[in-house]
Amino acid sequence: RHSLFNSHQQSWWLNKLVILYLRMVEERWIFNSLLTFLTSVIPSLPDIRTGNNKKYDMEDIVLAAFAPFFIQCPSFLSYQRLMEQNKGKNNGRSIFGIDVIPSDNHIRNLLDPIAPSYFFPVFTDAFHFLDETKILNTYRSVFNTYLIALDTPS
């Protein structure tokens, strides 16, 4: 049998594939952990809707508001609809577990009135998780402080 790679090269490639796979598993675990912190506050959020005016689940609304930070697209909803049309699936459902993606206006109307303090535990839990798992160590800088990018409205 003829092989393109010798046994040393095969071993090297196999090692690289295993490392890549483990990184993917670790990144998915980290992402799922962080997403759990976000979904854990959803039951405590005030819901201003009344009667049968609950077409979208509150979890779908919150996750649809959060998802554009990961999927860089001007309109999350239109991009997901296009993906659904072209590929039969979308990132909203496969990555974030969103059943039905609400419109941008619907998200704003329901989430804008909610005080930011409802989401403070998400930051605290995420920070502790990243610190305990030593992930934050890669962001340490001068005098052992953290490098953090801040973006504020002008």
Side-chain angles (χ1 to χ4, degrees), residues 21-40:
Y21 174 76
L22 291 174
R23 279 188 188 151
M24 289 172 35
V25 169
E26 180 185 38
E27 287 174 7
R28 188 65 190 181
W29 171 73
I30 292 167
F31 178 78
N32 286 340
S33 298
L34 295 174
L35 208 53
T36 299
F37 301 137
L38 177 62
T39 57
S40 70

Side-chain angles (χ1 to χ4, degrees), residues 94-107:
S94 60
I95 297 174
F96 297 94
I98 301 170
D99 290 325
V100 182
I101 301 171
S103 70
D104 297 347
N105 286 336
H106 199 82
I107 292 169

Side-chain angles (χ1 to χ4, degrees), residues 42 49 54-62 99-100 102:
I42 294 172
R49 299 174 293 176
K54 296 189 178 187
K55 177 180 177 182
Y56 302 102
D57 188 58
M58 197 62 155
E59 185 165 323
D60 286 345
I61 294 165
V62 172
D99 290 325
V100 182

Side-chain angles (χ1 to χ4, degrees), residues 8-123:
H8 175 72
Q9 289 170 322
Q10 288 175 348
S11 176
W12 184 86
W13 278 109
L14 181 60
N15 186 37
K16 291 296 177 191
L17 288 173
V18 168
I19 290 170
L20 179 62
Y21 174 76
L22 291 174
R23 279 188 188 151
M24 289 172 35
V25 169
E26 180 185 38
E27 287 174 7
R28 188 65 190 181
W29 171 73
I30 292 167
F31 178 78
N32 286 340
S33 298
L34 295 174
L35 208 53
T36 299
F37 301 137
L38 177 62
T39 57
S40 70
V41 300
I42 294 172
S44 69
L45 299 177
D47 189 345
I48 60 171
R49 299 174 293 176
T50 57
N52 292 330
N53 188 23
K54 296 189 178 187
K55 177 180 177 182
Y56 302 102
D57 188 58
M58 197 62 155
E59 185 165 323
D60 286 345
I61 294 165
V62 172
L63 292 173
F66 179 71
F69 292 103
F70 289 89
I71 302 167
Q72 301 291 313
C73 185
S75 174
F76 177 70
L77 176 61
S78 64
Y79 181 66
Q80 298 311 301
R81 284 182 178 159
L82 183 64
M83 280 185 71
E84 186 75 39
Q85 213 173 27
N86 293 336
K87 300 184 181 207
K89 56 185 176 179
N90 68 66
N91 291 332
R93 185 175 304 114
S94 60
I95 297 174
F96 297 94
I98 301 170
D99 290 325
V100 182
I101 301 171
S103 70
D104 297 347
N105 286 336
H106 199 82
I107 292 169
R108 273 192 293 277
N109 290 339
L110 283 171
L111 296 184
D112 280 358
I114 297 175
S117 58
Y118 282 95
F119 294 96
F120 289 173
V122 177
F123 175 80

